[in-house]
């Protein structure tokens, strides 16, 4: 007996084990994808924050560069009062570290630097003509700003202690006669910004690299710009332990169980219009091409996957115990059932005799179910038609009644009363058509009548405020020379026209004289009705397969249920007619109804 139990258990458990492996690897891939998405979002937020700080520095520099400086500008003596109020402002902006003016020979003629946290003092002038940022600044044109690399501040050729990471902006300055008088150089503190970048997100490691893949800041080491202070392991190979990071493109990849996300930050040749849009755009010149890298360590990846592994392991243990128990009980029962085989055969004969009766009952039940499904669909369509088609004329009536209540001019009231009468007639006609449709539901036959197409369209037109009242910016155009009568269900055709006009009004473009045009033609011996509008249109490459499906909507900012076009197609196909659509975004939509 136990051999039979084991054979049965193996046969049942092997497919289950294969399924478990499949589920584990699929869940693993899904978990890694979720981790990666969170990683990209976190990296993007840090990138945006860093770029916004750089933009803030550039805006400040653009402000100083756009000032009209006096001719023969002498900020230390003759024009000291010119800068006094500005320096008071700089004292309160703590990310300013140094503020300097440098002449066209690279020598400072004004130098202010921060002492402590809230004090700016005038300090001794220095010759900076040998510094790369000064040489690059002297090459700038008007409306250009130079953004330097991030580096540790140096004074007299030595790194200042404690270490102070800074970034420099350089811009040419001009006097009132547009003569260049020198350069503006501002040192901005980067300590808080770098601390914000390297702050960990869910125990993930963050790295800011320069264009040579040297580490500017990292959550794995305390010091910033370690390569400037002599740390030899400050490159991508020494700290990151990966060789796949590159500046070529933003990407996410997995290496040795670690998940990496990289995003480039390159402001070189970017242009900005600071302040008024009428300003000329300012071009950024920078040698820096930073790279922001986010790493999820292997242990964190394993911790994310551990619940999946544990749940599947628990499932397998329970499955083994359950299957062994099931196999034992099954084999035991099987032996007992063999003893009663003859009795079962006799019962099978009885079951066979009742089979025919059961089949007849099933046929009857299926027929009843089909009838109920058809009736439920008809009632659902009827419910939607009533709520949808009555909404517009009732709304129009409410608007006109409100206008009559507020209008005191008898002549204007005389013009509004016929409009109210038209809406009332539309509701009366719709009520009669609803009664016809109820009769259709009772008789299960669709009533076909001769329809004056022009008269029907104008009747539906009166159901909408946008088409009933004058000067609403929406026009219904008719070109029915080819044919204007058709044998069809009036209730269906009225509903089709109502839905199409309703969509044209709902999806019209703003600030455009909107219209919907009905044109009848004869093509291939068939009556064809073209309906065109100049609304916002639809992307058919993206949504073409779903246009006429139930509950499909394509403009999330506009309310709707996604039933209108589905119902139009259903009502056309009910009488062997078809509909196609051609649409372009920003141009409009054309429906082709073939009867």
């Amino acid at each position: 007996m136990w051999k039979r139990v084991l054979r049965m258990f193996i046969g049942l458990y092997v497919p289950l084990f294969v399924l478990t492996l499949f589920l584990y690897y699929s869940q693993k891939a899904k978990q890694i994808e979720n981790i990666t998405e969170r990683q990209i979002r976190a990296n993007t937020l840090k990138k945006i924050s860093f770029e916004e700080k750089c933009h803030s520095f550039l805006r400040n520099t653009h402000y100083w560069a756009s000032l009209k400086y006096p001719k023969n500008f002498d900020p230390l003596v003759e024009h000291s009062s010119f800068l006094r109020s500005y320096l008071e402002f700089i004292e309160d902006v703590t990310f300013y570290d140094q503020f300097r003016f440098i002449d066209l020979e690279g020598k400072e003629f004004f130098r202010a630097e921060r002492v402590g946290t809230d004090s700016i003092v005038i300090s001794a002038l220095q010759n900076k003509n040998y510094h790369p940022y000064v040489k690059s600044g002297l090459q700038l044109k008007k409306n250009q700003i130079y953004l330097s690399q991030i580096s540790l501040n140096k004074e007299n050729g030595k790194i200042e202690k404690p270490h102070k990471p800074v970034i420099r902006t350089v811009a040419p300055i001009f006097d009132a006669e547009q003569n260049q008088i020198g350069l503006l150089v501002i040192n901005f503190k980067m300590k808080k910004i770098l601390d914000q970048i390297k702050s960990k997100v869910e125990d993930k490691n963050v790295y800011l690299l320069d264009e040579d893949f040297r580490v500017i800041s990292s959550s794995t080491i305390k010091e910033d710009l370690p390569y400037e202070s002599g740390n030899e392991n400050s490159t991508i190979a020494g700290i990151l332990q990966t060789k796949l990071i590159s500046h070529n493109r933003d990407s996410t990849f997995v290496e040795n169980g670690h998940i990496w996300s990289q995003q480039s930050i390159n402001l070189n040749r970017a242009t900005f219009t600071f302040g008024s849009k009428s300003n000329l755009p300012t071009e950024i010149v920078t040698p820096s091409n930073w790279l922001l890298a986010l790493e999820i360590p292997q242990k964190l990846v394993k911790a994310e996957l551990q619940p999946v592994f544990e749940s599947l392991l628990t499932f397998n243990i329970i499955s083994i115990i359950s299957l062994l128990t099931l196999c034992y009980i099954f084999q035991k029962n099987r032996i007992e059932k063999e003893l009663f085989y003859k009795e079962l055969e006799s019962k099978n004969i009885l079951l066979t005799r009742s089979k025919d009766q059961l089949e007849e009952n099933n046929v009857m039940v299926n027929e009843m179910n089909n009838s109920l499904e058809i009736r439920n669909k008809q009632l659902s369509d009827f419910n939607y038609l009533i709520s949808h088609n009555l909404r517009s004329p009732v709304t129009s009536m409410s608007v006109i009644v409100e206008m009559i209540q507020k209008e005191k001019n008898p002549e204007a009231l005389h013009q509004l009363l016929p409009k109210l009468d038209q809406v009332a007639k539309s509701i009366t006609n719709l009520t009669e058509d609803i009664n016809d449709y109820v009769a259709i539901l009772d008789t299960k036959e669709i009533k076909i009548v001769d329809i004056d197409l022009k008269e029907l369209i104008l009747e539906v037109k009166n159901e909408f405020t946008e088409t009933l009242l004058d000067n609403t910016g929406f026009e219904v155009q008719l070109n029915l020379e080819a044919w204007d009568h058709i044998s069809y269900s009036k209730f269906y055709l009225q509903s089709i026209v109502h839905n199409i006009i309703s969509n044209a009004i709902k999806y019209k473009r703003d600030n455009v004289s909107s219209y919907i045009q009905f044109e009848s033609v004869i093509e291939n011996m068939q009556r064809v009705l073209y309906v065109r509008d100049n609304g916002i249109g639809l992307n058919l490459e993206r949504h073409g397969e779903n246009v006429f499906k139930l509950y499909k909507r394509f403009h999330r900012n506009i309310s709707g249920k996604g039933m209108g076009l589905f119902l139009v197609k259903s009502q056309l196909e009910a009488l062997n007619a078809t509909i196609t659509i051609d649409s372009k975004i920003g141009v409009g939509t054309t429906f082709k109804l073939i009867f």
Side-chain angles (χ1 to χ4, degrees):
M1 175 181 174
W2 281 105
K3 289 184 179 180
R4 297 172 66 179
V5 171
L6 290 176
R7 282 198 301 269
M8 183 179 179
F9 169 77
I10 292 173
L12 293 174
Y13 181 69
V14 168
L16 186 62
F17 179 72
V18 173
L19 177 62
T20 302
L21 291 178
F22 171 77
L23 290 175
Y24 173 73
Y25 284 106
S26 62
Q27 288 296 314
K28 178 180 178 181
K30 188 174 181 180
Q31 286 291 97
I32 291 177
E33 182 180 354
N34 292 335
I35 296 170
T36 302
E37 289 179 357
R38 296 202 308 269
Q39 184 181 23
I40 292 174
R41 287 196 296 268
N43 206 18
T44 301
L45 290 175
K46 288 183 176 291
K47 173 185 174 181
I48 292 173
S49 176
F50 181 81
E51 288 179 337
E52 287 179 348
K53 294 296 183 182
C54 291
H55 293 167
S56 175
F57 298 155
L58 294 169
R59 281 193 296 271
N60 276 263
T61 306
H62 176 267
Y63 169 76
W64 289 103
S66 62
L67 293 178
K68 302 299 182 183
Y69 293 93
K71 190 174 181 180
N72 300 321
F73 182 46
D74 184 3
L76 292 176
V77 182
E78 182 179 354
H79 302 114
S80 59
S81 61
F82 178 82
L83 281 179
R84 187 175 297 114
S85 60
Y86 294 116
L87 292 178
E88 291 175 357
F89 167 75
I90 292 176
E91 284 183 345
D92 297 329
V93 184
T94 57
F95 55 75
Y96 276 81
D97 186 56
Q98 292 183 6
F99 182 86
R100 294 171 285 165
F101 292 117
I102 297 177
D103 62 23
L104 298 177
E105 295 181 355
K107 299 178 181 179
E108 295 179 345
F109 62 91
F110 180 82
R111 178 185 181 90
E113 56 185 317
R114 185 172 298 279
V115 177
T117 58
D118 56 359
S119 178
I120 293 288
V121 299
I122 308 300
S123 55
L125 302 178
Q126 300 180 19
N127 186 359
K128 297 293 185 179
N129 59 8
Y130 58 89
H131 283 283
Y133 64 87
V134 175
K135 294 179 180 179
S136 299
L138 292 173
Q139 303 297 320
L140 294 175
K141 300 177 182 178
K142 192 173 183 179
N143 292 319
Q144 285 186 328
I145 297 178
Y146 176 82
L147 183 67
S148 75
Q149 298 171 323
I150 302 173
S151 61
L152 296 176
N153 191 49
K154 294 181 180 179
E155 295 298 338
N156 299 315
K158 294 184 179 180
I159 297 176
E160 183 179 356
K161 291 188 178 181
H163 291 168
K164 186 191 297 180
V166 296
I167 192 169
R168 300 173 180 86
T169 57
V170 184
I173 58 175
F174 300 83
D175 61 18
E177 297 179 358
Q178 296 302 310
N179 296 317
Q180 185 174 353
I181 57 177
L183 299 175
L184 164 72
V185 180
I186 305 177
N187 288 21
F188 293 101
K189 292 182 178 181
M190 293 295 291
K191 178 63 178 173
K192 290 184 179 180
I193 298 173
L194 296 180
D195 287 345
Q196 183 181 4
I197 287 178
K198 67 184 179 183
S199 60
K200 286 192 174 184
V201 181
E202 298 179 352
D203 294 328
K204 300 169 185 175
N205 297 324
V206 186
Y207 306 90
L208 180 64
L209 312 175
D210 63 11
E211 63 278 358
D212 296 321
F213 299 103
R214 294 176 299 190
V215 176
I216 302 296
S217 185
S218 168
S219 60
T220 60
I221 54 177
K222 293 182 179 180
E223 60 180 330
D224 295 317
L225 293 103
Y227 67 90
E228 287 198 348
S229 57
N231 188 340
E232 297 179 354
N233 294 326
S234 65
T235 62
I236 186 173
I239 295 180
L240 275 70
Q241 301 297 323
T242 178
K243 296 181 180 179
L244 298 182
I245 294 287
S246 70
H247 284 280
N248 293 335
R249 59 185 177 86
D250 296 350
S251 64
T252 302
F253 58 88
V254 179
E255 181 185 15
N256 298 326
H258 299 246
I259 301 177
W260 291 91
S261 175
Q262 61 176 34
Q263 294 192 25
S264 296
I265 306 173
N266 187 5
L267 300 177
N268 191 35
R269 301 304 176 189
T271 58
F272 300 91
T273 303
F274 299 104
S276 173
K277 292 185 178 179
S278 62
N279 291 342
L280 293 174
T282 300
E283 181 181 19
I284 309 306
V285 179
T286 176
S288 300
N289 184 14
W290 296 291
L291 185 71
L292 192 59
L294 195 65
E295 172 201 12
I296 302 180
Q298 190 176 25
K299 63 178 182 180
L300 190 59
V301 177
K302 289 182 178 179
E304 291 277 353
L305 297 176
Q306 187 67 23
V308 177
F309 175 78
E310 291 177 353
S311 62
L312 291 177
L313 179 62
T314 302
F315 171 74
N316 271 267
I317 293 174
I318 295 174
S319 298
I320 290 172
I321 296 174
S322 300
L323 285 176
L324 281 173
T325 303
L326 178 65
C327 292
Y328 174 79
I329 295 173
F330 178 82
Q331 292 298 336
K332 183 178 180 182
N333 290 338
R334 185 177 180 182
I335 293 174
E336 293 176 353
K337 288 179 181 180
E338 290 176 352
L339 299 176
F340 298 97
Y341 182 73
K342 291 182 178 179
E343 183 179 351
L344 290 174
E345 283 185 348
S346 62
K347 290 182 178 181
N348 285 334
I349 293 173
L350 295 175
L351 290 174
T352 302
R353 292 177 180 175
S354 62
K355 179 181 178 181
D356 294 338
Q357 184 63 40
L358 288 174
E359 288 179 351
E360 292 179 2
N361 293 338
N362 286 334
V363 171
M364 293 177 60
V365 170
N366 289 334
E367 290 177 352
M368 293 176 64
N369 285 337
N370 291 335
S371 299
L372 288 174
E373 288 179 359
I374 293 172
R375 180 51 59 94
N376 285 337
K377 183 180 183 304
Q378 290 174 336
L379 292 174
S380 177
D381 291 349
F382 177 71
N383 179 60
Y384 173 80
L385 289 171
I386 295 303
S387 62
H388 187 272
N389 291 12
L390 275 176
R391 186 186 303 116
S392 296
V394 170
T395 301
S396 299
M397 177 175 285
S398 299
V399 170
I400 295 173
V401 170
E402 184 178 356
M403 292 173 67
I404 291 173
Q405 290 174 342
K406 295 180 178 180
E407 187 60 59
K408 297 181 179 180
N409 186 350
E411 184 176 348
L413 288 173
H414 183 70
Q415 294 177 353
L416 288 172
L417 289 175
K419 304 290 185 181
L420 184 62
D421 181 62
Q422 291 177 4
V423 176
K425 289 180 178 179
S426 295
I427 295 177
T428 301
N429 293 336
L430 183 59
T431 304
E432 294 175 355
D433 293 335
I434 290 172
N435 291 332
D436 291 341
Y437 188 79
V438 172
I440 291 172
L441 293 181
D442 292 335
T443 62
K444 301 181 182 179
E445 293 180 0
I446 300 175
K447 184 178 180 181
I448 306 299
V449 296
D450 183 75
I451 301 171
D452 186 329
L453 183 58
K454 179 179 179 180
E455 180 181 328
L456 184 140
I457 294 173
L458 294 177
E459 181 180 324
V460 175
K461 170 186 172 182
N462 293 332
E463 297 174 5
F464 299 91
T465 306
E466 292 82 352
T467 55
L468 176 64
L469 299 177
D470 299 324
N471 300 321
T472 59
F474 191 90
E475 181 183 5
V476 177
Q477 302 174 0
L478 300 180
N479 182 6
L480 307 176
E481 296 179 359
W483 57 271
D484 58 3
H485 280 73
I486 187 171
S487 295
Y488 206 80
S489 166
K490 183 180 180 182
F491 189 81
Y492 276 6
L493 191 57
Q494 191 173 36
S495 174
I496 291 165
V497 173
H498 185 283
N499 275 291
I500 293 176
I501 294 179
S502 174
N503 279 356
I505 294 173
K506 184 185 299 182
Y507 301 110
K508 66 180 182 179
R509 283 184 287 158
D510 295 331
N511 302 321
V512 174
S513 295
S514 301
Y515 67 86
I516 183 170
Q517 181 188 70
F518 293 82
E519 180 184 8
S520 64
V521 298
I522 300 294
E523 292 181 359
N524 299 323
M525 304 299 291
Q526 289 178 308
R527 284 184 172 87
V528 176
L529 181 64
Y530 285 98
V531 187
R532 304 179 180 91
D533 66 54
N534 64 338
I536 60 179
L538 183 66
N539 186 344
L540 293 181
E541 292 182 0
R542 182 178 180 184
H543 304 299
E545 295 182 356
N546 297 317
V547 167
F548 297 103
K549 290 185 178 179
L550 186 61
Y551 302 130
K552 296 294 182 179
R553 296 176 56 237
F554 315 104
H555 300 281
R556 298 299 178 189
N557 59 332
I558 301 176
S559 63
K561 296 184 178 180
M563 286 189 64
L565 290 181
F566 168 78
L567 199 57
V568 167
K569 187 172 186 293
S570 300
Q571 291 170 336
L572 285 168
E573 291 179 346
L575 294 174
N576 297 321
T578 59
I579 183 170
T580 61
I581 182 173
D582 183 24
S583 184
K584 292 183 180 179
I585 294 178
V587 177
T589 301
T590 298
F591 292 99
K592 181 179 180 181
L593 285 64
I594 305 172
F595 295 94

